[in-house]
Amino acid sequence: METPDNTPEAPSPTGIAAQDWATASADPQYRAAVVDLLGALAYGELAAFERLAEDAKLAPTLGDKAELAKMASAEFHHFEQLRDRLSAIGAEPVEAMDPFVAALDGFHKQTAPSDWLEGLVKAYVGDSIASDFYREVAARLDSDTRSLVLAVLDDTGHASFAVEKVRAAIDADHRVGGRLALWARRLMGEALSQSQRVVADRDALSTMLVGGVADGFDLAEVGRMFSRITEAHTKRMAALGLAA
Amino acid sequence: METPDNTPEAPSPTGIAAQDWATASADPQYRAAVVDLLGALAYGELAAFERLAEDAKLAPTLGDKAELAKMASAEFHHFEQLRDRLSAIGAEPVEAMDPFVAALDGFHKQTAPSDWLEGLVKAYVGDSIASDFYREVAARLDSDTRSLVLAVLDDTGHASFAVEKVRAAIDADHRVGGRLALWARRLMGEALSQSQRVVADRDALSTMLVGGVADGFDLAEVGRMFSRITEAHTKRMAALGLAA
């Protein structure tokens, strides 16, 4: 919700961004990068499904439980779209997801929420950072892949639900804010360290990010992208009543 | 899959079964019984969602995980239909579900699977018994409520998935069969004891079952219904390669 559909810096489509999948995928390195991207996103959605279903168990009321189950189900449908797209372009979905299982599971293991509010903050922070990242990347993708990526990043209603519940909890007890601010910092640190692990491991994906593919990012642009994502995170934390 | 859409004994509609909701709900006791029934079914679906999402974490492969997540999501959509129906007939969904939370949570707490196969057997046995029960009851409901109940009992694909996986595991190691047979007996025992708890607590529902409402079951018929359900369970266990 906080992130506009197109970052103001987004250039009008040129190079790959002006092509459709059929044309762009003729380059085997671009094709491999997209399979990586969709695989990472698909496993992210499946992991998000599990995380939200798990958080639903911590819900203080039946209404909250149903709300989280609804979001979990929405993430599952996103997963289905990505899996079907992988199949459609001739990639084996399980193989495409596999390289990202360790990093995502590692992230979730290192950041298991100890209560309902930590779970809400985690889902909010995690979804927002992931959305920011994929939206930045989407601008550089072929038109078909871009449409799919933007469609599955559609707001599942989680952001406003989490913001409302967390703000109410901080209003009721100000000490909660300090604890959750520390928690959000830990989440951001762990997310960055796992992302670095993925980037170091996946050649095609990294090459696309740092500019080895025509119209990919150059290294300075990657740096600026990380600044924009961190800045957006800081703003979101402030809106939540948390010092980032 | 093993249970036909209509039990052979089902009489052609008379009494309430021949009426629609608008007519049947004029009787406040019948109305209360239906709210109870939909509330129990709705919370059952929400609990099934949580249980399947939990089992997905035990899945040995990413493909199995996705399969369970799909079923969990299907259960959630059933929950949504039941919740919307409760709202549509002027009942508060959370209030309608509330009386059944303790029994269902108690059942799940007493029967937490210790591995993937126990989880599959539990989901299969639990869903099948619940389906049998609701199909029996459905024949006595007004036409509108009956359509909804039969729609949400539609096979989510879980049965054939579970049967296939469990049979393969028993083929690979026959000792697994003995352990799972014991487990299935424990599940049936716990299900019966929690059902008795519900029936003892919920007057309107029990009255409909034992015949206080025109065209409800009489006590002898309830006994026969329980025999049919137990028999179907025994047959399913045999099909699975388990002694019941």
Side-chain angles (χ1 to χ4, degrees):
Chain A
M1 305 188 73
E2 284 72 13
T3 315
D5 264 18
N6 291 296
T7 51
E9 303 89 325
S12 57
T14 55
I16 280 176
Q19 297 172 14
D20 64 7
W21 171 251
T23 313
S25 62
D27 173 353
Q29 201 172 22
Y30 177 76
R31 193 187 176 284
V34 167
V35 169
D36 260 14
L37 196 70
L38 297 181
L41 198 42
Y43 191 68
E45 296 284 1
L46 196 55
F49 162 84
E50 280 195 301
R51 181 198 66 202
L52 288 165
E54 180 78 22
D55 291 352
K57 288 195 289 187
L58 300 168
T61 70
L62 264 181
D64 289 334
K65 191 192 280 287
E67 201 59 44
L68 256 71
K70 182 181 165 184
M71 293 165 198
S73 184
E75 305 279 13
F76 178 73
H77 295 307
H78 291 163
F79 161 76
E80 285 187 310
Q81 287 175 265
L82 291 158
R83 184 199 52 197
D84 292 350
R85 177 68 183 161
L86 281 163
S87 297
I89 64 174
E92 216 294 295
V94 167
E95 272 171 37
M97 290 189 281
D98 208 49
F100 306 100
V101 170
L104 272 152
D105 286 358
F107 174 73
H108 287 304
K109 209 171 165 180
Q110 293 297 323
T111 58
S114 66
D115 64 16
W116 166 243
L117 289 173
E118 286 190 4
L120 285 181
V121 170
K122 178 177 167 179
Y124 176 56
V125 168
D127 285 1
S128 306
I129 293 175
S131 287
D132 285 352
F133 171 73
Y134 284 109
R135 275 177 211 279
E136 293 267 359
V137 175
R140 310 295 177 124
L141 296 170
D142 67 274
S143 54
D144 295 315
T145 308
R146 183 169 58 241
S147 308
L148 173 64
V149 168
L150 294 176
V152 300
L153 292 178
D154 247 10
D155 186 26
T156 57
H158 198 277
S160 51
F161 179 79
V163 169
E164 185 196 317
K165 299 283 171 179
V166 170
R167 293 188 79 149
I170 295 174
D171 283 348
D173 177 358
H174 284 275
R175 285 165 307 175
V176 167
R179 177 167 72 83
L180 292 179
L182 277 176
W183 171 244
R185 273 203 285 281
R186 207 179 117 206
L187 292 170
M188 188 66 174
E190 194 63 39
L192 288 174
S193 98
Q194 297 290 351
S195 313
Q196 278 160 0
R197 183 173 163 185
V198 167
V199 169
D201 276 0
R202 305 302 298 169
D203 283 348
L205 188 59
S206 314
T207 307
M208 180 170 75
L209 288 179
V210 298
V213 167
D215 239 55
F217 295 161
D218 60 24
L219 205 48
E221 178 55 22
V222 171
R224 284 193 291 273
M225 176 179 90
F226 275 103
S227 314
R228 285 195 296 272
I229 291 177
T230 309
E231 236 169 73
H233 170 72
T234 307
K235 276 187 202 155
R236 274 192 300 265
M237 291 303 97
L240 210 53
L242 301 178
Chain B
M1 305 189 73
E2 285 71 14
T3 315
D5 263 18
N6 291 294
T7 50
E9 304 89 324
S12 56
T14 56
I16 280 176
Q19 297 171 15
D20 64 8
W21 171 252
T23 313
S25 62
D27 174 354
Q29 201 172 22
Y30 177 75
R31 193 187 176 285
V34 168
V35 169
D36 259 14
L37 196 69
L38 297 181
L41 198 42
Y43 191 69
E45 296 284 1
L46 196 54
F49 162 84
E50 280 195 302
R51 181 198 66 203
L52 288 166
E54 180 78 21
D55 291 351
K57 287 195 290 187
L58 301 169
T61 70
L62 264 181
D64 289 334
K65 191 192 280 286
E67 201 58 44
L68 256 71
K70 181 182 165 183
M71 293 165 198
S73 183
E75 305 279 13
F76 177 74
H77 295 307
H78 292 163
F79 161 77
E80 284 185 312
Q81 288 176 264
L82 292 158
R83 182 199 54 196
D84 293 348
R85 178 67 183 162
L86 281 164
S87 297
I89 64 175
E92 215 295 296
V94 167
E95 272 171 38
M97 291 190 279
D98 208 50
F100 306 100
V101 169
L104 272 153
D105 286 358
F107 173 72
H108 287 303
K109 208 169 165 182
Q110 293 297 322
T111 58
S114 66
D115 64 16
W116 166 244
L117 289 173
E118 286 190 6
L120 285 181
V121 169
K122 178 177 167 180
Y124 176 57
V125 167
D127 285 1
S128 307
I129 294 175
S131 287
D132 284 352
F133 170 74
Y134 284 107
R135 277 177 209 278
E136 293 267 359
V137 175
R140 312 295 177 123
L141 296 170
D142 68 274
S143 54
D144 296 314
T145 308
R146 183 169 58 243
S147 308
L148 173 65
V149 168
L150 293 176
V152 299
L153 293 179
D154 246 8
D155 185 25
T156 56
H158 199 276
S160 51
F161 179 80
V163 168
E164 184 196 317
K165 299 282 171 179
V166 171
R167 293 188 80 151
I170 295 174
D171 283 349
D173 177 359
H174 284 274
R175 286 165 306 176
V176 166
R179 177 167 71 83
L180 293 179
L182 278 176
W183 171 244
R185 274 203 283 283
R186 208 179 116 205
L187 291 171
M188 188 65 173
E190 194 63 38
L192 287 174
S193 98
Q194 296 290 351
S195 313
Q196 279 161 1
R197 183 174 163 184
V198 167
V199 169
D201 275 359
R202 303 305 298 171
D203 283 349
L205 188 59
S206 315
T207 307
M208 180 172 77
L209 289 179
V210 298
V213 166
D215 238 56
F217 295 162
D218 60 25
L219 205 47
E221 178 54 24
V222 171
R224 284 193 291 274
M225 176 179 89
F226 274 103
S227 314
R228 285 194 297 271
I229 291 177
T230 309
E231 236 169 75
H233 169 73
T234 308
K235 276 187 202 155
R236 273 192 300 266
M237 291 302 97
L240 210 53
L242 301 178

